[in-house]
Amino acid sequence: MERPERFSDLPPAVQAQLAIFTPIMFGVIAGLVVVHGSTVYWILQALAALGGIAAGTEHDGPREGAIRGVVGGLLYGLGIFVAFKATGEDAKISAEPTVALPVVTAIAGALLGALGGVLGARARRGAAGAGA
């Protein structure tokens, strides 16, 4: 079994891509979709949640995963809010994105990242034990 990649082992440019650019751009896409319909928006939300867990797996434990998740969640929520407001249109979902959205997505990101951190640390311990 191969050990999962650690975020700290990645080149700085890749770290910036994964931790900053990706959440913002994915949020912008979700923010633009809000004005067209709810089904695709909620699919994007589910993919973002899975991405939050996956990002957490690159860290050693729940604390590091939560830190990564809170940053990613905040940037993701900001991307949604800014892109949605830039359209000037009404949302086609039940709850229109507000300025509070980045706080909600940061909290959710922290929880998902912490879960991923637990899973990643467990996988690395298992891989280390299997390689011994």
Side-chain angles (χ1 to χ4, degrees):
M1 175 184 234
E2 188 175 320
R3 291 177 142 196
E5 186 85 33
R6 287 188 184 169
F7 186 76
S8 60
D9 295 336
L10 298 171
V14 175
Q15 289 179 358
Q17 161 67 36
L18 293 173
I20 300 169
F21 183 74
T22 299
I24 290 172
M25 290 311 298
F26 202 75
V28 166
I29 292 167
L32 296 173
V33 167
V34 166
V35 300
H36 296 291
S38 66
T39 303
V40 174
Y41 176 76
W42 290 112
I43 290 170
L44 292 175
Q45 295 302 308
L47 291 173
L50 292 173
I53 294 169
T57 64
E58 298 174 335
H59 298 277
D60 290 323
R63 184 175 188 278
E64 289 182 23
I67 292 169
R68 168 85 177 275
V70 77
V71 171
L74 177 67
L75 294 173
Y76 174 68
L78 282 171
I80 293 173
F81 179 71
V82 170
F84 166 68
K85 285 298 184 185
T87 68
E89 297 181 37
D90 292 332
K92 301 288 191 288
I93 60 172
S94 58
E96 184 170 294
T98 67
V99 73
L101 180 64
V103 174
V104 173
T105 55
I107 292 168
L111 295 172
L112 294 166
L115 172 60
V118 169
L119 296 174
R122 184 180 300 159
R124 274 187 286 286
R125 280 193 308 271

